[in-house]
Amino acid sequence: MPRRRYSPPPLSTVSFEDGFWGARLKVNRTRGLEFQLAQLERVGALEALDQKPRPLKIPKGQWGGTTQMFWDSDVAKWLEAASYVLATHPDPALEAQVDQVIEALAKAQQEDGYLNTYFTAHAPDQRFTNERDWHELYCAGHLIEAAVAHYQATGKPSLLGVVERYVALLARVYGPGPNQKHGYPGHEEIELALLKLYRATNKREYLELASYFVDERGKQPYFFDSEARARGEDPSRYHFTNYEYSQAHLPVRQQDKVVGHAVRAMYLYSAMADLAGETHDPELLAACERLWQDLVSKRLYVTGGLGPSADNEGFTSDYDLPNETAYAETCASVGLVLWAKQMLEVTGEGHYADELENALYNNVLAGVALSGDRYFYDNVLQSRGNHHRWTWHPCPCCPPNVLRLLASLGSYVYGLGQGELAVHLYAQGEARLKLAGQSLTLRQQTQYPWDGVIQLSLELEQPTFFTLRLRVPGWCESAKLALNGREVGFVVRQGYISLERQWHSGDEVRLELAMPIERLHAHPAVRADVGQVALRRGPLVYCLESTDHQAALHQIVLPDDARLEARLEPELLGGVLVIQGSALAEDLQSWGDRLYRSAAPEQQPIPLRAIPYSTWDNREPGEMRVWIRSVANSRG
Amino acid sequence: MPRRRYSPPPLSTVSFEDGFWGARLKVNRTRGLEFQLAQLERVGALEALDQKPRPLKIPKGQWGGTTQMFWDSDVAKWLEAASYVLATHPDPALEAQVDQVIEALAKAQQEDGYLNTYFTAHAPDQRFTNERDWHELYCAGHLIEAAVAHYQATGKPSLLGVVERYVALLARVYGPGPNQKHGYPGHEEIELALLKLYRATNKREYLELASYFVDERGKQPYFFDSEARARGEDPSRYHFTNYEYSQAHLPVRQQDKVVGHAVRAMYLYSAMADLAGETHDPELLAACERLWQDLVSKRLYVTGGLGPSADNEGFTSDYDLPNETAYAETCASVGLVLWAKQMLEVTGEGHYADELENALYNNVLAGVALSGDRYFYDNVLQSRGNHHRWTWHPCPCCPPNVLRLLASLGSYVYGLGQGELAVHLYAQGEARLKLAGQSLTLRQQTQYPWDGVIQLSLELEQPTFFTLRLRVPGWCESAKLALNGREVGFVVRQGYISLERQWHSGDEVRLELAMPIERLHAHPAVRADVGQVALRRGPLVYCLESTDHQAALHQIVLPDDARLEARLEPELLGGVLVIQGSALAEDLQSWGDRLYRSAAPEQQPIPLRAIPYSTWDNREPGEMRVWIRSVANSRG
C-alpha cells in the first residue's frame, strides 16, 4: 500500500472568492467566530480557565449540571478555528484575542503538565480515573489540534509548548509499561490529534502514543472494567450496557460494523485511517475499509448524516434511518468529513471524496444558519415545524466544530502527491502550490455547486510535467473535458480524470459535469424512505419547506414523470438554485368530515419548490421534508 | 329528548352459542377468569385486602412502587367479571371464591364506611387529600360496579351493603355543603358506577352524587388547585401542566374536544351520557354529542383505539394517529364501548353502535390473546416485531377490564324500548326477553362476523305487536331482508330497519348484510396513514403479519386493482376468515449494495394474506401492519 497518496497544501495557500464557499466562509470567519467567542464568554467557559470552583452559569437541569467538563474542548475548537482564520486572513486584533485565551490556558497548566480546567477546579483527585465516561483525553485532543493549528498559522510556539508538556505527562500515565495505565479514551479524539502533532513536530513519540491508544482499544480484559472496579463500581452496571458505545468492544482491527456514539466512531476511524497511512499498515486500512463499507451501504442518511438515535447519540441497526427523529448530529458529519479526508488522502479513491462532499454540502452545512449564529445539534430529515436552530446549547460541541471545519476548508480542496495534483473539490478560488519543486498557481472559475462547469487555469514558473487529477463525482453520469479549448477524451479511474503531461503557463482546462435533477430512491430495507424519493442535484440534497407549499408536506406526491427544473433564485436564501415543478396533493376540501372512507382522496396539482437541505429553517418556521412521496405517474 | 330509548335485558337472559363469541366468551370465563385471579393472588393484591402494611411484592422500579394504589380496583373488576359469569353460568365453586373475596373486602371496611385497602394500610391520614393524582374515588367506583353486578347476579346483598355504607361516607365528604369537599375524582369512574347503583337500588341520592361529581368538575376556582394548596404544594407545578389531563379544565357542559387521559375521558363521557338519559338533560347530551363528533372525526384509530400518546396516556392533537407508537390503551377502547352503549341506549342512533362494534371487535379484542391469558396494554397498529402481549403488568387495569366487558357482552346485543326490540349486535345465540308484558324468545343463527347472513326466529306466547329493529351497520352498503321466506323492502333510519307488526311464534326474519372487502383511506390530514389503505370486512379490521409474508411488511404495496378474496381458514387462529390476494413488494435481490440510487427498486408480485387485527401476535413473533402502502394500479 502507498504511505499516503495525497497531502493537503498549507491552508494559507488556498483562497476562495465570492461564489458559494466564498460567501459562507466569510460569514463563518466574521459573524461565526465572533459570536461563538461571545457565547463562550457568556456561559462562563472562558472565565472557567482560571480554574476557580464556581457554580455553573448555565441553569442546572438544562444539561444535568456537567456542562463544564467539556468546556476546554469548546474553547480549544474556537482557538483552532481562529488559528485557521489567522492563516488565511491575518488580523492583529483576532491574534491578540487568541493570545489572550492561550495565555489563560498556559496559566491553567499545572506543574506536572496537567491541563484540564474542569478537573483541576472541581475534582483534582479524580484525574485519570474515569476515561470511560469523562472527557479528559477528549479535551486534551482538542487542545492539541488547536496548538498545531495555532503554530502552523502563526509560527508561535506558545500553545504548542503548553500542549507538548501536557502530552509528555499523558505519555507517562498511559502506555504498555508496568506502572502505566493500559488505557484509552472513552471519547476518541486525542488519537487523531496526536497524529497531527506528530506531523507538525516530527516527534515519533506522538505517533507512538496515538498508535498505542488505537491498538490498546477493545482488548480484553477491558480497561474500562478495571477502571470502574478501581472506582468501586460494578462495571456490569454500565449505562450503555457494553462498550460498543465507544467502539471499545473489540480490538479495532477486528471491527467491521460502525457502532455506538457516532462522533466517537468517526474520530476513531479517522485516526485509524491516518495511522494506517503514516505506518503503512494494510491491516488497519482494511479495517477502515470494512467499516466504511458498512457505513455507506447501511447506516448513512442521504444527507451525509449519521447516527440516527438520540439514546446513544449514535448507530442502531442496519437500514434504521428514521427521518423525523434523526439524530444525525452535526459533529458526526464533521467527523465523517475528517474520516473521509483521511481515506481519500491515504488511498486516492474518489468515492471517499463523494461522501466527504455530500456530508459537507448537506448535513454539515445545515448545522449552521445562513446568518452564522444559529445552530442545529441534530439534523432531522423531516420536521413538523417544531425543530429549529438555537443560539447556543448546554453541550455546545457542534457550533465550533463547523466553525473550525469551514475555516480549514482550504485543506480539503487539493491533494498534492508524487508528481500529481488532485482537485478534490470544486470552488471558485485560487491556490498557490508547490509541485515537483515548482511554484504553480491554479485558478478555479465555477458556479459550483449551482453549475457543473469548472474552468481551471494554470500559471507556472516553467513548463512542468505532472499529473493533474480532476475528480468526477459519483453522482455525475456524463462529463466533458476540454484542454485549451479543444475537447478531449478521457477515462475516469478511481473517480478521477488523470491528465499526465507537460503543463505550460496559461494552460486551461474546462470540465463540464452534467448536473441533472435526480430522484433518489433508498434501499428497500430502509423502512422510513419506502415509496419516497429525495431530490438531488450535483452534491446538493434538496428538501421541501411548508412556506413554499399550499398543502401539508405529507400530502404532496411527486409523480415519476413530473418535469422538474432548476432555477436560480438570487434573492432567495442568499442566492440558491431551487428545484421546481408540478406535483399532486391530496385534497382536504373534497374529503369531507369522515376520518376514514372507502374512496381514495382526490388529488390536485400543486406547485412544488425544493430548496437545498442545508438552507432549511432560515425562513418562517414550518414543516420540512427531504423524502417526498412518489408515484409512478401523474395520473396517480 | 327521550329519557332513554333502550335498556338492556338482564344479562342472564342472553346466551351465546358456538360461533365467534361463544368460543371467545368460553375462554374468557374459564381460562381468563381463573388466570387473572391467580395473578391477583400472585402479585399480592388479594393478600393486601388484610390491610397490613407490607413491602411491595412487585419489584420496585418495575412500576415506580405505587402499584398497590390501584389494587382494589383490579380486585373489584375481577369480582364484577366473576359476577357476570355467575349470572350466565352459575358455578358454586366460583361463587364460593367470590364470597371469600367479598368477605375480605367487608372485613377491610372501616367503622365509618371507608374502604380503600391501600390508604388504610399505608396512608390512613391521607384519605381524601389528593383526588387529582391518587385513585380513591376510582377504586370506589369499581367496588360499586362489582357490588351491583354481584347483587344482580346472585341476589346477595353482601358486597352491595358494604359499598352502600362506603358511598354514604363519600356523600358526607363530597357535596355542595359548607363542610363538604367541593371535589371530584382525578380519574373518573365513580360517576358511572353511582348511576348503576342508582338503577340497582332506585335510591336517588346516588344519582345526585353522580350528578354532583359530573357538574362540579372543571369549575373555577379549581378544586385540584385548592386541594394541592391544602397539601402545601404549588398547584402550578402540576406534572401535566393543566387539568385537560383529567378533563377538569372546563365545566363538562362547555367541553367540545376530547382531551387528556383517554380512559378517564371515556369514563366521564359515559357517565355524562348516562346521566343525560336519566335526567332528561339535553344540554348534557349535546356536550356528549360534540365530544363524540370530535373523537370520531379527528382522534380515533381505524381499529377503535384512542389516545395515541404514552406521555399522557391520552389524546394529543387532531389527526395525530401514529401507528407504531400508538398507545391506544385497551382500557380506553373498553371505555369507548361503555360510552357508545350509553349514547346508543339514550339516543337509539345506530352510528354509536357502529363505533361500539368497531372498538369491540378490533382494539378491545386485540387486548387479550386467543388463549385468554396474555394481554396488550397498548395496541399499536404497526410493529417491527418487538411488541407482544405479557402475562401481567405492574398496572394491570386492562386484563380485568376486558374480562368484565366480555363477561357482560349479553347486555350489549339487544335493546328493549317502548314497544320495540332492537338488535344492536349480531351473534349466534338466544335471548329470552320480556316485551309488552309478553315472554319472547329470539334466536339468532349467524356466522357473523365472518358472514353477513343473520337468521332470526321468534317464539312468542301469543301474537304480539311490537317493532323489531335490526341494525344495518354503517359499513354495510347493501342489505337484503326476507320475512318468513319472502323478500321485503325496507328503509334504514338511524341505522336500523324497523319492522312494526304483529309478530307470531315461528316468524322468521332473514337479514343479509353485504360484507365485501373494503380498502379504507384515512383523512389526508392523518400523516401516518397517507398513501396507505387499511383492509376491513364487516366489522373486522385486518392486518398483515410477517409470518405470512416473504417480504418485510413496509415493502409490500397493494395495487388498487388487485383482487382480494375472503377465505375461511378453520385451522388458523382458532378459525378465522383471512383476506388474500396478490400484492407487489420491492425486490431486495435486484437492488444491489447501494444505499441510495436513481433507479426505482423493482417490484415483484407477492402473495398477500391479512388476518383480523384482533388475532395478531398469536403466532410466532414478527412484524405487524394495519396500514398497507397502496398504489393506483398493479403496473406500479
Side-chain angles (χ1 to χ4, degrees), chain B residues 78-79 82-83 86 94-103 150:
Chain B
W78 183 87
L79 276 179
S83 298
L86 287 176
L94 175 62
E95 190 164 350
Q97 281 179 316
V98 165
D99 286 342
Q100 213 181 327
V101 177
I102 290 174
E103 201 177 320
H150 180 250

Side-chain angles (χ1 to χ4, degrees), chain B residues 267-316:
Chain B
Y267 287 5
L268 169 65
Y269 307 153
S270 178
M272 285 164 63
D274 192 348
L275 191 62
E278 291 298 336
T279 59
H280 313 251
D281 189 333
E283 187 190 50
L284 195 55
L285 185 63
C288 291
E289 287 168 340
R290 285 195 307 272
L291 290 163
W292 183 272
Q293 189 53 31
D294 185 56
L295 175 67
V296 301
S297 68
K298 299 188 183 72
R299 298 185 168 210
L300 187 62
Y301 283 102
V302 70
T303 50
L306 53 152
S309 171
D311 288 347
N312 64 347
E313 303 191 279
F315 297 103
T316 53

